[in-house]
mmCIF file of all heavy atoms in Angstrom:
data_model
loop_
_atom_site.group_PDB
_atom_site.id
_atom_site.type_symbol
_atom_site.label_atom_id
_atom_site.label_comp_id
_atom_site.label_asym_id
_atom_site.label_seq_id
_atom_site.Cartn_x
_atom_site.Cartn_y
_atom_site.Cartn_z
ATOM 1 N N ASN A 1084 -30.758 -24.574 2.082
ATOM 2 C CA ASN A 1084 -30.828 -25.114 3.466
ATOM 3 C C ASN A 1084 -30.203 -26.430 3.599
ATOM 4 O O ASN A 1084 -30.362 -27.237 2.840
ATOM 5 C CB ASN A 1084 -32.286 -25.170 3.936
ATOM 6 C CG ASN A 1084 -32.905 -23.797 4.192
ATOM 7 O OD1 ASN A 1084 -32.107 -22.923 4.606
ATOM 8 N ND2 ASN A 1084 -34.153 -23.726 4.120
ATOM 9 N N ALA A 1085 -29.410 -26.554 4.644
ATOM 10 C CA ALA A 1085 -28.723 -27.865 4.987
ATOM 11 C C ALA A 1085 -28.115 -27.601 6.435
ATOM 12 O O ALA A 1085 -27.978 -26.412 6.782
ATOM 13 C CB ALA A 1085 -27.637 -28.195 3.994
ATOM 14 N N ASP A 1086 -27.784 -28.608 7.109
ATOM 15 C CA ASP A 1086 -27.158 -28.377 8.319
ATOM 16 C C ASP A 1086 -25.670 -28.327 8.097
ATOM 17 O O ASP A 1086 -24.997 -29.348 7.939
ATOM 18 C CB ASP A 1086 -27.434 -29.563 9.292
ATOM 19 C CG ASP A 1086 -26.952 -29.366 10.690
ATOM 20 O OD1 ASP A 1086 -26.193 -28.378 10.889
ATOM 21 O OD2 ASP A 1086 -27.409 -30.063 11.659
ATOM 22 N N TYR A 1087 -25.033 -27.098 8.129
ATOM 23 C CA TYR A 1087 -23.683 -26.934 7.801
ATOM 24 C C TYR A 1087 -22.827 -27.158 8.982
ATOM 25 O O TYR A 1087 -21.624 -26.893 8.906
ATOM 26 C CB TYR A 1087 -23.473 -25.490 7.199
ATOM 27 C CG TYR A 1087 -24.166 -25.439 5.889
ATOM 28 C CD1 TYR A 1087 -25.423 -24.838 5.698
ATOM 29 C CD2 TYR A 1087 -23.552 -25.902 4.692
ATOM 30 C CE1 TYR A 1087 -26.003 -24.750 4.485
ATOM 31 C CE2 TYR A 1087 -24.117 -25.786 3.414
ATOM 32 C CZ TYR A 1087 -25.378 -25.275 3.357
ATOM 33 O OH TYR A 1087 -25.942 -25.206 2.118
ATOM 34 N N THR A 1088 -23.376 -27.655 10.002
ATOM 35 C CA THR A 1088 -22.524 -28.074 11.272
ATOM 36 C C THR A 1088 -22.169 -29.519 11.291
ATOM 37 O O THR A 1088 -21.429 -29.987 12.105
ATOM 38 C CB THR A 1088 -23.241 -27.654 12.535
ATOM 39 O OG1 THR A 1088 -24.446 -28.330 12.629
ATOM 40 C CG2 THR A 1088 -23.492 -26.118 12.492
ATOM 41 N N LYS A 1089 -22.889 -30.263 10.414
ATOM 42 C CA LYS A 1089 -22.713 -31.760 10.400
ATOM 43 C C LYS A 1089 -22.244 -32.171 8.904
ATOM 44 O O LYS A 1089 -22.627 -31.643 7.958
ATOM 45 C CB LYS A 1089 -24.041 -32.403 10.771
ATOM 46 C CG LYS A 1089 -24.544 -32.104 12.195
ATOM 47 C CD LYS A 1089 -25.750 -32.900 12.544
ATOM 48 C CE LYS A 1089 -26.024 -32.584 13.951
ATOM 49 N NZ LYS A 1089 -27.237 -31.925 14.217
ATOM 50 N N PRO A 1090 -21.509 -33.303 8.955
ATOM 51 C CA PRO A 1090 -21.043 -33.877 7.621
ATOM 52 C C PRO A 1090 -22.246 -34.150 6.778
ATOM 53 O O PRO A 1090 -23.291 -34.490 7.277
ATOM 54 C CB PRO A 1090 -20.307 -35.097 8.002
ATOM 55 C CG PRO A 1090 -19.848 -34.933 9.396
ATOM 56 C CD PRO A 1090 -20.943 -34.073 10.084
ATOM 57 N N PRO A 1091 -22.132 -34.154 5.479
ATOM 58 C CA PRO A 1091 -20.967 -33.808 4.674
ATOM 59 C C PRO A 1091 -20.758 -32.342 4.479
ATOM 60 O O PRO A 1091 -19.821 -31.959 3.814
ATOM 61 C CB PRO A 1091 -21.239 -34.550 3.408
ATOM 62 C CG PRO A 1091 -22.750 -34.403 3.292
ATOM 63 C CD PRO A 1091 -23.312 -34.447 4.632
ATOM 64 N N TYR A 1092 -21.523 -31.449 4.960
ATOM 65 C CA TYR A 1092 -21.451 -30.086 4.757
ATOM 66 C C TYR A 1092 -20.514 -29.299 5.648
ATOM 67 O O TYR A 1092 -20.150 -28.192 5.380
ATOM 68 C CB TYR A 1092 -22.922 -29.407 4.742
ATOM 69 C CG TYR A 1092 -23.804 -30.042 3.781
ATOM 70 C CD1 TYR A 1092 -24.847 -30.764 4.114
ATOM 71 C CD2 TYR A 1092 -23.541 -29.779 2.362
ATOM 72 C CE1 TYR A 1092 -25.675 -31.265 3.236
ATOM 73 C CE2 TYR A 1092 -24.413 -30.342 1.476
ATOM 74 C CZ TYR A 1092 -25.514 -31.022 1.856
ATOM 75 O OH TYR A 1092 -26.321 -31.644 0.911
ATOM 76 N N ALA A 1093 -20.210 -29.873 6.835
ATOM 77 C CA ALA A 1093 -19.400 -29.141 7.833
ATOM 78 C C ALA A 1093 -18.043 -28.909 7.363
ATOM 79 O O ALA A 1093 -17.502 -29.761 6.569
ATOM 80 C CB ALA A 1093 -19.372 -29.955 9.138
ATOM 81 N N PRO A 1094 -17.401 -27.887 7.693
ATOM 82 C CA PRO A 1094 -15.909 -27.695 7.300
ATOM 83 C C PRO A 1094 -15.090 -28.782 7.824
ATOM 84 O O PRO A 1094 -15.311 -29.338 8.916
ATOM 85 C CB PRO A 1094 -15.553 -26.358 7.965
ATOM 86 C CG PRO A 1094 -16.728 -25.831 8.697
ATOM 87 C CD PRO A 1094 -17.837 -26.779 8.593
ATOM 88 N N LYS A 1095 -14.078 -29.169 7.102
ATOM 89 C CA LYS A 1095 -13.148 -30.209 7.520
ATOM 90 C C LYS A 1095 -12.265 -29.708 8.677
ATOM 91 O O LYS A 1095 -11.981 -28.541 8.647
ATOM 92 C CB LYS A 1095 -12.254 -30.642 6.340
ATOM 93 C CG LYS A 1095 -13.046 -30.982 5.024
ATOM 94 C CD LYS A 1095 -13.428 -32.508 5.055
ATOM 95 C CE LYS A 1095 -14.089 -32.890 3.830
ATOM 96 N NZ LYS A 1095 -15.388 -32.592 3.637
ATOM 97 N N PRO A 1096 -11.745 -30.536 9.507
ATOM 98 C CA PRO A 1096 -10.949 -30.116 10.655
ATOM 99 C C PRO A 1096 -9.552 -29.775 10.141
ATOM 100 O O PRO A 1096 -8.719 -29.281 10.935
ATOM 101 C CB PRO A 1096 -11.028 -31.310 11.623
ATOM 102 C CG PRO A 1096 -11.319 -32.435 10.715
ATOM 103 C CD PRO A 1096 -12.163 -31.966 9.656
ATOM 104 N N TRP A 1097 -9.176 -30.059 8.848
ATOM 105 C CA TRP A 1097 -7.814 -29.725 8.358
ATOM 106 C C TRP A 1097 -8.033 -29.097 7.045
ATOM 107 O O TRP A 1097 -9.029 -29.264 6.354
ATOM 108 C CB TRP A 1097 -7.025 -30.999 8.340
ATOM 109 C CG TRP A 1097 -7.777 -32.052 7.534
ATOM 110 C CD1 TRP A 1097 -8.654 -32.988 7.972
ATOM 111 C CD2 TRP A 1097 -7.582 -32.356 6.109
ATOM 112 N NE1 TRP A 1097 -9.049 -33.790 6.951
ATOM 113 C CE2 TRP A 1097 -8.455 -33.409 5.784
ATOM 114 C CE3 TRP A 1097 -6.768 -31.739 5.090
ATOM 115 C CZ2 TRP A 1097 -8.511 -33.879 4.523
ATOM 116 C CZ3 TRP A 1097 -6.923 -32.345 3.832
ATOM 117 C CH2 TRP A 1097 -7.740 -33.383 3.522
ATOM 118 N N SER A 1098 -7.043 -28.360 6.566
ATOM 119 C CA SER A 1098 -7.119 -27.681 5.294
ATOM 120 C C SER A 1098 -6.441 -28.304 4.154
ATOM 121 O O SER A 1098 -6.648 -27.919 3.000
ATOM 122 C CB SER A 1098 -6.500 -26.284 5.496
ATOM 123 O OG SER A 1098 -5.086 -26.402 5.643
#
Side-chain angles (χ1 to χ4, degrees):
N1084 284 333
D1086 188 350
Y1087 293 98
T1088 62
K1089 296 185 175 117
Y1092 300 110
K1095 307 273 187 278
W1097 54 277
S1098 68

